[in-house]
Amino acid sequence: DGSPALEVECELTLIGVVGIEDPLRQEVPPAINTCYKAGIDVRMVTGDNLETAIAIASRCGILRPEHFEGDFTNTKSRQIKV
């Protein structure tokens, strides 16, 4: 519409994309395993999208191979058992 704000927002060039990761602490998987051995069923509550939540839960040991159909190591083809 010709306003100064619109002029500033035209012909911009993206010069970078940044991603962050909150790495899994190394003591988490053994702690999860200890809970399972003690009969404690561990749950995870997250606001992440499903793919991210599955990846995190798999890495920390909440989701294990028996929770999946297909090759557990192949993140593209594995499916969660319903």
Side-chain angles (χ1 to χ4, degrees), residues 6-76:
L6 184 59
E7 288 177 26
V8 172
E9 295 170 357
C10 294
E11 298 184 32
L12 300 176
T13 303
L14 176 66
I15 57 172
V17 176
V18 176
I20 61 168
E21 180 181 357
D22 187 8
L24 189 64
R25 290 181 289 175
Q26 68 184 101
E27 64 268 16
V28 172
I32 300 283
N33 192 41
T34 300
C35 289
Y36 278 132
K37 286 181 179 178
I40 300 168
D41 193 15
V42 179
R43 303 285 188 207
M44 180 176 80
V45 178
T46 180
D48 286 318
N49 71 45
L50 182 59
E51 298 275 335
T52 302
I54 290 171
I56 293 167
S58 296
R59 272 190 256 149
C60 69
I62 294 172
L63 289 175
R64 297 166 302 200
E66 62 265 24
H67 295 120
F68 294 92
E69 295 174 351
D71 181 7
F72 175 72
T73 61
N74 186 338
T75 59
K76 300 288 183 196

